[in-house]
Amino acid sequence: MLHQSIIQGSTDTSGAIAVGAAVVAGHPALPAANGQAAVGQRWVYAFGGGGAEGHGGMLAELGGKGAGLAEMARLGVPVPPGFTIVAEASRRHRAGQGGFPAGLTAQVEEALTRLEAVTGARFGGSENPLLVSVRSGARASMPGMMDTILNLGLTDATVMGLAARSGDARFAYDCYRRLIQTYGTVVQGVGAHVFDAALEAYKEMRGLTRDADLGAADWRAVAASYRAVIEREAGEPFPQDARTQLFAAIAAIFRSWSNARAMAFRAVHGIPDDWGTAATVQAMVFGNRGSASGTGVAHSRDPSTGEAVLCGEFLADAQGEDIVSGLRTPGPLTGADASLEAVAPEAFAELGRIADRLERHFGDMQEIEFTVQQGRLFILQSRAGKRTPEAGVRIATEMAQAGIISRAEAVQRADLPALADSLRPIPDPDAPREVIARGLPASSGAATGAAVFTSDEAVRLAAEGVAVVLCRPETSPHDVHGMQVACAVVTARGGATSHAATVARAMGLPCVTGARMLRVDPAAGVMTVGDLTVRAGEIITVDGGAGHVILGSVPMIRPEPPEAVALLLRWAEGADEGVGA
């Protein structure tokens, strides 16, 4: 069995990945390479369409994302086809002040030609355009720290081909405006807030309040306004050539390894700066193709409790960036009208089978990003899922009892700091409290601190020795420095797999997400719940295990050790006596 580390890849908590319409019709065999890539440095490895040139053991070369996709393709898991550019290319790009190493462009072109053959679509074609995503993927998980670009390959000409072929002009222009905004932000350096302001101004002009109210003509007009934004802010047009887009996007993904938030994350987590990131180019699949489509994140076990049950979130008629960003609050996989089970029951059943297979293959709880396009399931990424310390202990012991891993490996996974964290304080259940908001229990534990509404304010007060609770409408990778100094995190929007939830679990922070009754106004420095106003600096308590936001402080107690902790300690005591088998 391969060690689980082979798929510790970046979530890139946008989460969105995507396949041209032709791929949905079937996966023809991966065409053989013509041998050119084998001459000199190998920069590119293809996957999907019935096989893979790489494999899960190539973590250093392909990064977690690329290695995981290659391994899943070898297992026959339905992944959209594509290719991964090795991390060494990003190191050379960085050392060469932005140029591509010799041979890279030719190998990308070759891989692109093969991808066109697999999908039956043409990159830059006006009749059946192939669209791709370009995503980062370091060998260690860095959720949301680097960049992703979706729907790449759309232009004024190809968007009309996508509209005609799909029979859905609204869908096509929705994808186009998404690309223009993301490309303009990531590649051309335009602030995302400028695009947001343009969209809000358009909706106000039309008297509309929700994005869902915009039709094909609206999104076409918004796309035009976004192009005008780029020309005004960046001093250059949005490119109307698909290959120009692709190579500029690859360079931007390489550069994102060195952005401020990624560097700060690596410093905290001890990730070497010289690793660099691989870049994966993958055919798009579309979760925004109507009511039988959607995107989601699933865990093969509950990341908060460790219970062996498939759980996660699903957002119908959406792309992955919608769910990971926290801007929209998703629903559950099952048990609701818009759940995956209700929208696409066959895809839901298949997801359960695949989750179990991947967990057993990789020997750890899996976090799986997926897209459903008109009822068909595609797996976009699978990696070892972030979990609370309590869940980690339970998962390790239960997997050892099931024979998936050895007892020795279970003991090794649950180190002493994790065991100590599993006994973190919780609010005294008998103490009085004023619960002002309820949300999702995204990361367990409890903490009390002063409410702050910006990450910069969190850093300032924490430097003065003040315990702070970071309260945000939702967090983004730009909030990592605030989360690093906070004792707990609260968001009004987002689900259990949003950026806030994923990063909080990785940091061991108590976290409540999706507390919809909260209105957080960072500019005014207040958070309101009905008639109650919480001002910056006022004390609140976060109970991440219950999903409660409490006014004031609450006495804490230390719970009794769970049985799984006691069992693991007994195994640890006998580890030198042959208990490891």
Side-chain angles (χ1 to χ4, degrees):
M1 183 179 67
L2 293 171
H3 191 277
Q4 173 56 26
S5 65
I6 65 175
I7 55 170
Q8 290 283 348
S10 165
T11 72
D12 213 332
T13 233
S14 73
I17 314 161
V19 187
V23 177
V24 178
H27 289 285
L30 187 71
N34 62 19
Q36 179 181 357
V39 178
Q41 172 70 45
R42 178 72 177 269
W43 299 113
V44 175
Y45 290 80
F47 61 85
E53 295 176 333
H55 56 78
M58 300 177 66
L59 186 68
E61 297 91 344
L62 304 180
K65 188 181 306 299
L69 286 166
E71 190 67 15
M72 287 192 292
R74 286 173 173 264
L75 290 172
V77 172
V79 299
F83 55 90
T84 298
I85 303 168
V86 297
E88 175 64 19
S90 75
R91 294 192 289 269
R92 298 277 188 94
H93 181 267
R94 185 180 183 185
Q97 288 76 50
F100 288 134
L104 174 63
T105 300
Q107 290 184 30
V108 169
E109 288 284 3
E110 178 186 354
L112 195 58
T113 299
R114 297 172 66 199
L115 184 58
E116 290 176 329
V118 170
T119 61
R122 189 167 69 84
F123 189 62
S126 59
E127 294 185 1
N128 182 21
L130 168 65
L131 306 184
V132 300
S133 62
V134 184
R135 307 179 76 208
S136 61
R139 72 177 82 174
S141 180
M142 295 175 57
M145 298 303 109
M146 293 179 288
D147 293 320
T148 293
I149 299 176
L150 306 179
N151 307 309
L152 196 140
L154 282 176
T155 64
D156 288 354
T158 61
V159 70
M160 291 189 288
L162 181 64
R165 191 166 187 86
S166 67
D168 188 345
R170 184 190 187 280
F171 151 73
Y173 281 98
D174 179 31
C175 290
Y176 193 26
R177 63 95 184 179
R178 290 172 184 262
L179 168 65
I180 297 169
Q181 176 169 3
T182 306
Y183 189 95
T185 301
V186 173
V187 179
Q188 297 179 288
V190 180
H193 66 282
V194 184
F195 294 103
D196 294 338
L199 177 57
E200 291 305 313
Y202 180 84
K203 288 193 293 187
E204 183 176 354
M205 179 194 70
R206 290 273 287 112
L208 304 173
T209 58
R210 303 181 306 150
D211 289 1
D213 296 329
L214 277 67
D218 294 311
W219 285 130
R220 183 173 183 174
V222 169
S225 72
Y226 281 4
R227 293 197 303 276
V229 163
I230 289 176
E231 290 216 39
R232 183 183 73 241
E233 298 291 326
E236 61 182 10
F238 172 80
Q240 293 294 321
D241 176 77
R243 277 170 168 75
T244 298
Q245 293 178 11
L246 176 62
F247 287 104
I250 293 169
I253 294 303
F254 288 165
R255 290 195 302 271
S256 71
W257 174 257
S258 300
N259 68 40
R261 62 183 186 270
M263 293 175 68
F265 185 92
R266 291 199 298 274
V268 170
H269 293 276
I271 299 172
D273 282 334
D274 60 1
W275 277 2
T277 180
T280 294
V281 178
Q282 192 170 21
M284 286 289 297
V285 286
F286 301 98
N288 56 335
R289 284 299 309 273
S291 59
S293 303
T295 186
V297 179
H299 294 91
S300 60
R301 299 183 185 231
D302 190 315
S304 294
T305 68
E307 182 182 1
V309 59
L310 182 70
C311 63
E313 296 177 324
F314 177 73
L315 192 58
D317 197 16
Q319 288 196 333
E321 61 190 13
D322 298 320
I323 189 171
V324 178
S325 67
L327 294 175
R328 293 173 61 185
T329 300
L333 294 180
T334 184
D337 290 342
S339 68
L340 174 62
E341 185 179 33
V343 168
E346 293 182 3
F348 173 75
E350 184 181 8
L351 177 63
R353 293 190 296 270
I354 289 174
D356 182 68
R357 184 181 183 191
L358 291 175
E359 179 178 280
R360 291 182 175 275
H361 181 78
F362 293 116
D364 202 354
M365 182 265 279
Q366 296 297 292
E367 180 179 304
I368 302 166
E369 297 177 16
F370 67 90
T371 285
V372 177
Q373 177 173 312
Q374 297 178 314
R376 182 170 179 180
L377 176 69
F378 294 91
I379 305 299
L380 309 175
Q381 179 169 330
S382 186
R383 63 179 177 276
K386 302 299 182 184
R387 67 209 73 182
T388 63
E390 298 91 332
V393 172
R394 179 174 177 179
I395 290 168
T397 54
E398 290 187 358
M399 283 191 165
Q401 290 171 320
I404 298 174
I405 61 175
S406 69
R407 290 184 179 184
E409 188 170 356
V411 171
Q412 184 180 19
R413 286 185 185 179
D415 57 18
L416 291 178
L419 290 175
D421 281 346
S422 72
L423 304 178
R424 287 181 294 177
I426 61 172
D428 184 343
D430 297 324
R433 72 199 63 189
E434 183 181 352
V435 177
I436 60 173
R438 291 174 170 81
L440 298 173
S443 184
S444 61
T448 298
V452 296
F453 307 111
T454 70
S455 290
D456 290 343
E457 182 68 2
V459 170
R460 186 185 70 79
L461 288 180
E464 299 174 1
V466 178
V468 296
V469 176
L470 180 61
C471 305
R472 298 284 292 157
E474 72 280 334
T475 67
S476 76
H478 298 287
D479 289 304
V480 169
H481 63 299
M483 298 179 72
Q484 288 171 343
V485 301
C487 64
V489 176
V490 174
T491 67
R493 297 194 290 267
T497 54
S498 64
H499 175 271
T502 301
V503 175
R505 280 195 291 269
M507 293 181 174
L509 290 176
C511 180
V512 174
T513 60
R516 302 182 187 184
M517 61 290 299
L518 294 177
R519 296 293 179 267
V520 181
D521 188 342
V526 298
M527 177 172 68
T528 59
V529 187
D531 295 332
L532 175 69
T533 297
V534 177
R535 302 187 184 281
E538 292 189 33
I539 300 300
I540 61 174
T541 297
V542 176
D543 184 350
H548 291 169
V549 181
I550 303 166
L551 187 64
S553 61
V554 180
M556 301 286 178
I557 63 170
R558 286 193 176 274
E560 290 295 319
E563 174 57 31
V565 172
L567 177 60
L568 204 64
L569 289 173
R570 291 198 296 272
W571 287 351
E573 291 171 357
D576 294 332
E577 302 174 10
V579 73

